[in-house]
């Protein structure tokens, strides 16, 4: 990625940042790129598994056809993630949670790095790679405690097959997650969109809801996205470089 000049934070944004009460932050894969997590599309290197593009192996169709293969793919990714640490962008957002009266953190990421940085009550729109869910009783389990003797782990409560508690392509978001985020978007006065290509819906509609409800919309991304023209400010840079500037 070419060297990117760190953008200047405007006086307007500094004032709004100092006075904001209700802040909403939406993050995508880019916020974890500096921790070593591959992004799906722009900027970082994209992901292919055993010759299959990520949106095939991570799909509802593959889950129905070959559950062991889907577990193998998520176990591989969990293995990669286990060694990775939050970066200054995650740390800045966790710190903001102590600064603002109300900060809502909504993420499309399944990597758990926001929580590892200390963020609480994270709305995980696409689930978490650290959890499994039962097909039968829907109970959730810690993926780190699962046994893969037969390739498919079973539920500790009912013995049913478990699946990754991640939203796969072709699936609906977890009940209530989007609604909770959309409600906060309607009442926030400052909305940050950090490290997302803003092409996957309904997640990408959250900043649109915030903007049309009158929030000041700020994008942080080294590249322009379809959302950039709607934003009040676009800070073109890496999240780990840009976010700490707001606290200075
Ligand atoms: N800081 C900020 N942004 C970055 C950085 C960085 N260091 N590095 C890359 N980016 C930006 C890229 O320019 C790109 O716009 O992050 C964005 C990553 O986009 P995607 O890979 O499309 O990830 P995301 O928007 O989170 O994808 C949405 O799609 O594949 C599904 O379920 C998956 O949650 C994911 C969803």
């Amino acid at each position: 990625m070419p060297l990117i000049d760190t953008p200047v934070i405007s006086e307007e944004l500094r004032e709004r940042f100092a006075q904001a009460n209700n802040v909403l932050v939406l993050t995508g894969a880019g916020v974890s790129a500096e921790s070593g997590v591959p992004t799906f599309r722009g900027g970082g290197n994209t992901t292919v598994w055993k010759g299959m593009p990520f949106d095939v192996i991570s799909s509802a169709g593959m889950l129905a056809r070959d559950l062991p293969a889907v577990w193998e793919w998520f176990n591989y990714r969990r293995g990669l993630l286990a060694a990775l640490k939050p970066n200054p962008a995650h740390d800045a957002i966790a710190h903001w949670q102590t600064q603002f009266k109300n900060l809502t953190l909504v993420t499309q990421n399944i990597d758990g790095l926001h929580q590892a940085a200390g963020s609480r009550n994270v709305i995980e729109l696409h689930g978490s790679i650290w959890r499994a869910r039962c097909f039968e009783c829907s109970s959730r389990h810690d993926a780190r405690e699962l046994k893969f003797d037969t390739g498919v782990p079973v539920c500790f409560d009912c013995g049913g097959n478990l699946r990754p508690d991640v939203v796969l392509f072709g699936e609906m978001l977890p009940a209530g997650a989007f609604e909770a985020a959309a409600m906060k978007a309607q009442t926030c006065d400052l909305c940050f969109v950090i490290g997302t290509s803003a092409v996957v819906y309904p997640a990408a509609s959250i900043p649109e809801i915030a903007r049309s409800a009158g929030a000041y919309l700020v994008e942080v991304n080294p590249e322009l996205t379809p959302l950039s023209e709607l934003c009040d400010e676009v800070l073109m840079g890496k999240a780990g470089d840009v976010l700490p500037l707001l606290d200075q």
Side-chain angles (χ1 to χ4, degrees):
M1 187 181 287
L3 271 188
I4 305 160
D5 292 341
T6 307
V8 175
I9 309 294
S10 72
E11 270 322 301
E12 162 116 27
L13 178 51
R14 284 201 185 284
E15 260 165 53
R16 286 174 179 271
F17 191 78
Q19 285 150 18
N21 284 320
N22 299 314
V23 177
L24 185 137
V25 176
L26 172 69
T27 65
V31 83
S32 294
E34 293 154 76
S35 295
V37 183
T39 59
F40 299 94
R41 300 169 190 87
N45 37 342
T46 50
T47 311
V48 174
W49 167 257
K50 295 192 174 179
M52 278 182 286
F54 69 84
D55 51 3
V56 172
I57 183 70
S58 291
S59 67
M62 184 57 86
L63 195 71
R65 279 197 306 279
D66 192 345
L67 179 56
V70 172
W71 268 117
E72 210 190 328
W73 154 241
F74 279 100
N75 291 349
Y76 160 75
R77 289 188 68 194
R78 216 171 38 252
L80 280 184
L81 285 173
L84 304 182
K85 299 272 177 284
N87 66 60
H90 297 109
D91 298 338
I93 295 167
H95 176 63
W96 292 357
Q97 206 160 34
T98 64
Q99 244 171 293
F100 293 106
K101 200 152 150 269
N102 298 309
L103 182 133
T104 304
L105 174 55
V106 183
T107 190
Q108 298 168 84
N109 301 345
I110 62 173
D111 57 32
L113 288 174
H114 281 302
Q115 292 91 335
S119 287
R120 292 163 287 106
N121 310 322
V122 182
I123 298 179
E124 296 175 310
L125 289 178
H126 297 157
S128 170
I129 200 167
W130 301 104
R131 281 194 311 269
R133 189 170 82 241
C134 178
F135 279 103
E136 310 306 323
C137 69
S138 299
S139 63
R140 288 180 161 82
H141 304 280
D142 186 331
R144 285 160 281 223
E145 293 163 8
L146 303 180
K147 304 234 170 335
F148 289 87
D149 314 340
T150 63
V152 172
V154 295
C155 175
F156 307 137
D157 302 343
C158 77
N161 278 346
L162 293 175
R163 54 155 293 161
D165 189 23
V166 169
V167 176
L168 302 175
F169 284 90
E171 293 189 323
M172 304 288 285
L173 270 55
F178 176 77
E179 293 73 12
M183 212 172 56
K184 293 288 185 178
Q186 269 150 3
T187 55
C188 69
D189 33 48
L190 184 55
C191 177
F192 287 94
V193 185
I194 306 167
T196 180
S197 55
V199 295
V200 174
Y201 282 75
S205 70
I206 291 166
E208 295 168 354
I209 295 168
R211 187 67 176 70
S212 48
Y216 194 75
L217 187 57
V218 180
E219 183 176 54
V220 179
N221 194 316
E223 295 178 4
L224 292 177
T225 72
L227 187 74
S228 305
E229 60 200 29
L230 189 68
C231 292
D232 297 287
E233 284 196 45
V234 176
L235 303 175
M236 291 194 71
K238 292 182 176 182
D241 298 337
V242 174
L243 300 192
L245 296 176
L246 282 147
D247 288 317
Q248 287 168 7

